[in-house]
Amino acid sequence: MERILVTGASGQLGAVLTKALQLKFGAEHVIASDLQFNKSFKGVFETLDVTNLEALKTIVGTYKVTRIYHLAAILSAKGEATPLKTWEINMSTFFNVLEVSRLLGVERVFFPSSIAVFGPNVSRMNTPQSSNLSPLTVYGVSKVAGENWANYYFNKYDLDVRSIRYPGIIGHQSLPGGGTTDYAVDIYHKAVKGEPFDCFLKASTRLPMIYIDDAVRASMELMEAPSKNLSVRTAYNLAGMSFSPEEIVRSIKKSYPNFEVTYRPDFRQKIADSWPMSIDDSKAREDWGWKPKYDLDTMSQVMIDNLKRYYNSVIA
Ligand code: AKB
């Protein structure tokens, strides 16, 4: 039976992925870890700073971990405030995961890459899997390097590392922190609370996005796929949907016709303008059968229903 370690388990994706892994493999087979314990968490939890190689080694050895989902990272917008620290943290944690996995025989490693690997010199519509990768953010630079190191460990040490270039992830369960795509989560909270929203991107800025259930399912499906089917050992392009702020506002207005939005682009506009508008994920579809389930309107309905329930329970 698998024993699965999740780093960054209290983060936006980590919290939801950990629950899905607990459901599939049994709560006792999933070890959630993060810098701090989240009081509402149920299951096996280890406080872990992944920059600490020895601490990671101890946990992997003690639990005889067979798979690692390494989600701990600093994202695109936050990373720009401290570029060298972002590089240091994103890379040292990944090196620690790669080395411990190689030395202690972890069977599979999942490493999240991102649409942030792309830069302004790619075709921004339906961006191909094999594109020139010249990112503008240090987060993107660390993801490009991470993809290449994943490929290196696979070829040199036969370490089974798998990766996805996530679009912006949207979910109701937890808040993202420090990304350029975060507006698309915050906007639902404001709409449901009946408050106006101030958007930090221009109304027409189209970006690839994905609903969190699709993102979690993609990560788990990639990790279950037979190794022989995988032709990409850097990271797979993955698409869910693509939309701009004005399109998400139109979708939200179907439920909240009086929702008010103003646009005040800040430094994140330049980052968003350097990213694709849509993604060609045909390799993921061919190699491991990827198919998203949610489009903008189905996602809006689920987000609004769940956030309504959440805010009603907070008030009650
Ligand atoms: C970000 O905006 O930094 C992330 C990402 C696209 O990787 N959501």
Side-chain angles (χ1 to χ4, degrees):
M1 193 53 178
E2 305 300 340
R3 280 166 306 274
I4 303 166
L5 173 65
V6 182
T7 74
S10 308
Q12 186 204 14
L13 179 62
V16 184
L17 176 67
T18 300
K19 277 197 186 141
L21 290 168
Q22 287 176 329
L23 266 181
K24 183 173 167 66
F25 293 97
E28 68 283 14
H29 290 104
V30 181
I31 305 104
S33 71
D34 212 311
L35 289 171
Q36 274 161 8
F37 179 65
N38 174 346
K39 277 189 223 123
S40 62
F41 179 78
K42 290 192 180 61
V44 185
F45 186 91
E46 290 284 344
T47 304
L48 173 66
D49 176 349
V50 200
T51 61
N52 184 337
L53 178 75
E54 290 309 316
L56 177 64
K57 222 187 242 172
T58 303
I59 289 173
V60 170
T62 306
Y63 289 96
K64 299 190 172 44
V65 167
T66 58
R67 294 185 182 182
I68 301 180
Y69 285 82
H70 172 51
L71 304 183
I74 299 178
L75 299 186
S76 60
K78 187 169 177 207
E80 291 309 287
T82 52
L84 294 185
K85 180 178 159 213
T86 300
W87 168 262
E88 171 58 24
I89 288 182
N90 288 359
M91 293 314 296
S92 68
T93 55
F94 189 40
F95 281 133
N96 286 348
V97 167
L98 289 173
E99 271 302 276
V100 169
S101 299
R102 175 178 80 83
L103 294 169
L104 300 191
V106 174
E107 287 158 21
R108 286 185 191 174
V109 174
F110 181 85
F111 159 73
S113 186
S114 160
I115 54 164
V117 294
F118 300 109
N121 57 351
V122 298
S123 119
R124 293 184 67 211
M125 294 297 286
N126 234 7
T127 305
Q129 174 72 44
S130 297
S131 295
N132 182 312
L133 303 180
S134 314
L136 288 190
T137 62
V138 67
Y139 169 68
V141 172
S142 71
K143 290 299 179 190
V144 173
E147 288 190 4
N148 283 312
W149 278 105
N151 193 41
Y152 181 84
Y153 267 70
F154 174 71
N155 285 304
K156 185 160 176 88
Y157 301 118
D158 218 12
L159 181 65
D160 192 348
V161 193
R162 303 168 179 212
S163 180
I164 282 173
R165 290 173 181 156
Y166 287 123
I169 298 176
I170 297 158
H172 56 86
Q173 300 91 332
S174 45
L175 289 169
T180 303
T181 57
D182 293 6
Y183 89 86
V185 179
D186 298 340
I187 196 168
Y188 285 108
H189 286 261
K190 292 285 188 197
V192 171
K193 286 195 283 184
E195 294 172 11
F197 181 66
D198 199 14
C199 186
F200 58 73
L201 296 182
K202 281 193 229 154
S204 59
T205 311
R206 200 153 228 273
L207 288 171
M209 302 278 187
I210 191 167
Y211 182 56
I212 197 155
D213 285 12
D214 273 346
V216 164
R217 187 168 54 81
S219 320
M220 290 172 66
E221 284 179 3
L222 174 60
M223 281 294 260
E224 291 308 317
S227 182
K228 64 174 174 29
N229 293 4
L230 305 182
S231 62
V232 176
R233 287 295 181 165
T234 49
Y236 279 94
N237 275 11
L238 188 87
M241 60 191 95
S242 278
F243 58 79
S244 62
E246 63 197 354
E247 285 168 306
I248 195 173
V249 169
R250 258 203 304 278
S251 177
I252 291 172
K253 278 192 167 179
K254 289 178 187 165
S255 304
Y256 296 98
N258 298 326
F259 185 41
E260 281 173 33
V261 181
T262 45
Y263 297 93
R264 217 186 315 227
D266 65 16
F267 72 99
R268 289 169 279 197
Q269 185 65 47
K270 188 169 168 204
I271 299 176
D273 287 343
S274 74
W275 287 355
M277 295 189 212
S278 60
I279 291 286
D280 172 11
D281 64 357
S282 46
K283 270 278 159 224
R285 289 173 187 256
E286 277 162 29
D287 287 4
W288 45 280
W290 168 243
K291 199 168 185 302
K293 285 193 182 148
Y294 289 83
D295 63 16
L296 177 54
D297 280 337
T298 49
M299 177 178 77
S300 287
Q301 206 48 62
V302 183
M303 287 293 289
I304 289 169
D305 290 348
N306 279 285
L307 289 176
K308 261 190 197 160
R309 220 168 300 148
Y310 170 71
Y311 283 112
N312 285 340
S313 72
V314 171
I315 292 163

